[in-house]
Amino acid sequence: MQKLVTKAIEGKAPALYETDIEGRDPFEAVAVAHYFSVFNGWDWYMTEYDPASRMAYGFVNGLEGEFGYFSIAEFEQANKAAGFELIERDAYWRPRRLSDIDRIG
């Protein structure tokens, strides 16, 4: 199965709460990784990550678009239980501001 968080992503991702700056437009945060599911059409854009807890924060484009936390460990568990990748990492993703992504904002 695909590795959802690589060492390169860990190195680029700010720690949880690191980009939470009062008055800052949250869409100016940089999405260091993009995850998606072809089964439900959801997208997750990681802007912060904690390797110890394997929790990420970013923009989630699902039933509605909203900022929130998501668990990389739970993504991996779901993939393992299904026997295939329900949630995949966009291997060609280049980090960019959320405001520069066409499908959100």
Side-chain angles (χ1 to χ4, degrees):
M1 296 233 170
Q2 179 189 49
K3 187 168 183 160
L4 295 180
V5 178
T6 63
K7 291 291 182 192
I9 291 170
E10 277 188 18
K12 292 176 189 171
L16 289 181
Y17 313 110
E18 190 174 325
T19 64
D20 185 14
I21 301 168
E22 188 172 332
R24 179 180 181 195
D25 180 352
F27 287 99
E28 290 306 305
V30 174
V32 297
H34 169 229
Y35 303 93
F36 63 93
S37 174
V38 297
F39 297 96
N40 63 11
W42 285 43
D43 291 279
W44 296 264
Y45 298 91
M46 177 195 289
T47 60
E48 298 175 347
Y49 180 65
D50 176 43
S53 67
R54 309 209 49 229
M55 290 298 296
Y57 179 81
F59 190 80
V60 182
N61 201 2
L63 297 175
E64 295 181 8
E66 62 185 339
F67 286 90
Y69 295 90
F70 49 95
S71 170
I72 298 301
E74 286 181 12
F75 286 179
E76 290 173 344
Q77 289 170 354
N79 287 349
K80 187 176 180 179
F84 57 90
E85 292 167 336
L86 291 169
I87 299 168
E88 299 181 53
R89 177 178 47 83
D90 183 344
Y92 300 101
W93 182 256
R94 290 175 293 107
R96 56 186 162 278
R97 285 188 182 105
L98 292 170
S99 61
D100 293 333
I101 300 169
D102 290 337
R103 296 172 285 171
I104 64 173

